[in-house]
Amino acid sequence: VKSHAVKDGFSYDVGFNLAFVGVGQAGGRIAAAFRALQYSRTCAINTDHTDLSSLPADMPQLDLRTGGAGKDPRRGAASIQGQEEAVYELLTRAIGDSPDYLLVCAGLGGGTGSGAAPLIVDIARRYMTANNRSSRRVGAIVTLPHPAEGQTPCRNAVQAFRAISLRAVTPLLVMDNERISSLFTSGVSEFYNVANQQIAKLVHLFNRLSAQKSSIVTFDRADLANILDHGVCVLGASPIAKYESPADISSAIREHLSDTILASVDLRQGRTAGCVFVGGQEVLAQTPMSFFDGGFTMLTRLLADDSVVHRGIYSGARDGLN
């Protein structure tokens, strides 16, 4: 099967061509959230046709036809055996020959995502190499089950996370269902959609910003790549309601990093960060550079020694500061 070009549906530039492979029910929904933002390099793999039928009809899919994995990762892994070429061909049709990063999306509590996702990572790396792309740029977006789901899903998640971590995927974004349930009060029918849309919009926000030039301080593709290439990533975006001193800005950043849908991590272990401000013209005209430096230097203090903080300050169309 010959590779071909696949283009995103944006009317503007982005930093990187991002591709997403959804594995299992949760993974397929995450990939579909990126497709809704016009990321065309998306596809889904599942063992149950019913789960695939709920995804966009124009989204390339592979039905492994095992009738589901029943929360058993061994069945999820077994579903890939003998189907490696079918997976490879799906990537060829859906992703094409120019992805900069390929992210495997999966829920780690069930059987299909937990069992198949690590094997999909291996196939994705072979695919990237065959298309002269960096095999090191195969990452993952995974979800952790809520403790209320029971011991089996949590045990599945631990084992699958270990298997994915040992493969040193990067970037690795970890969504925590327990944190999601505490942050969102939407009805159950929209619960996961809201969470998936948020992670997709966060990734897209930084991908779009990295393609734009700023007349003040630019956060560029190289800066974003330096973050995405360093393993576990935490992303956040929030309005800053008060910016009357450097401390106002630094505290707003710190508080939001601990209040996202992503799993809690020890930021003191972090070695690479990005901090991007987008403000209205009036805000940027009146706010001293030292105030923004308060946010940049706070991150430097928060991270490990010898860390790097990539900076950006952009003029936005809306009032206020984000």
Side-chain angles (χ1 to χ4, degrees), residues 6-12 35 37-41:
V6 176
K7 296 183 178 181
D8 293 323
F10 312 126
S11 58
Y12 46 81
R35 192 172 187 87
L37 293 178
Q38 303 300 311
Y39 283 95
S40 299
R41 299 175 181 86

Side-chain angles (χ1 to χ4, degrees), residues 93-108:
R93 291 194 302 272
I95 293 173
D97 55 7
S98 59
D100 295 313
Y101 288 88
L102 198 165
L103 282 76
V104 177
C105 309
L108 299 188

Side-chain angles (χ1 to χ4, degrees), residues 28-39 193 196-197 199-200:
R29 290 174 176 174
I30 295 171
F34 282 96
R35 192 172 187 87
L37 293 178
Q38 303 300 311
Y39 283 95
N193 286 338
N196 293 339
Q197 288 168 12
I199 190 63

Side-chain angles (χ1 to χ4, degrees), residues 44-320:
I45 300 170
N46 210 318
T47 55
D48 189 337
H49 175 73
T50 303
D51 291 337
L52 289 173
S53 64
S54 65
L55 300 176
D58 63 346
M59 185 173 175
Q61 303 172 1
L62 174 61
D63 184 358
L64 297 172
R65 300 180 182 279
T66 66
K71 302 288 186 186
D72 186 345
R74 292 171 299 181
R75 292 177 61 183
S79 69
I80 300 297
Q81 297 173 6
Q83 297 278 9
E84 292 86 353
E85 281 304 308
V87 173
Y88 196 96
E89 290 166 1
L90 173 69
L91 299 183
T92 302
R93 291 194 302 272
I95 293 173
D97 55 7
S98 59
D100 295 313
Y101 288 88
L102 198 165
L103 282 76
V104 177
C105 309
L108 299 188
T112 302
S114 297
L119 303 180
I120 301 299
V121 168
D122 297 336
I123 298 171
R125 282 187 166 147
R126 292 198 296 271
Y127 182 82
M128 293 286 276
T129 299
N131 284 283
N132 299 313
R133 320 303 285 185
S134 173
S135 63
R136 294 189 299 273
R137 287 183 167 178
V138 172
I141 302 176
V142 299
T143 66
L144 302 180
H146 194 289
E149 295 179 48
Q151 293 185 4
T152 295
C154 292
R155 185 163 49 247
N156 291 346
V158 170
Q159 295 172 349
F161 189 84
R162 181 180 296 118
I164 289 174
S165 297
L166 288 173
R167 285 166 168 79
V169 299
T170 186
L172 175 57
L173 291 95
V174 186
M175 299 171 62
D176 186 345
N177 281 349
E178 184 175 17
R179 296 188 69 159
I180 293 171
S181 65
S182 67
L183 290 172
F184 295 122
T185 58
S186 58
V188 66
S189 62
E190 290 298 312
F191 177 76
Y192 292 110
N193 286 338
V194 171
N196 293 339
Q197 288 168 12
Q198 184 175 38
I199 190 63
K201 288 177 179 178
L202 280 172
V203 172
H204 180 60
L205 172 64
F206 287 98
N207 194 29
R208 184 175 182 181
L209 281 172
S210 69
Q212 299 181 26
K213 297 296 183 183
S214 169
S215 60
I216 307 172
V217 181
T218 296
F219 176 82
D220 61 21
R221 291 178 77 253
D223 297 334
L224 180 57
N226 193 243
I227 295 169
L228 297 180
D229 292 345
H230 278 81
V232 176
C233 291
V234 177
L235 303 176
S238 177
I240 299 176
K242 181 181 178 183
Y243 37 90
E244 298 175 359
S245 76
D248 291 337
I249 291 178
S250 63
S251 62
I253 297 170
R254 189 179 66 257
E255 289 170 5
H256 191 70
L257 282 173
S258 63
D259 193 28
T260 75
I261 63 173
L262 297 174
S264 178
V265 300
D266 184 359
L267 296 176
R268 294 170 298 177
Q269 302 295 318
R271 296 191 176 277
T272 308
C275 183
V276 183
F277 294 100
V278 181
Q281 292 184 2
E282 183 177 349
V283 171
L284 297 183
Q286 297 178 358
T287 307
M289 185 66 189
S290 61
F291 285 28
F292 298 106
D293 285 337
F296 298 139
T297 56
M298 180 277 297
L299 281 174
T300 302
R301 292 193 302 270
L302 192 64
L303 301 176
D305 293 340
D306 300 321
S307 60
V308 175
V309 176
H310 299 288
R311 308 183 304 160
I313 302 177
Y314 289 81
S315 177
R318 298 180 180 178
D319 295 334

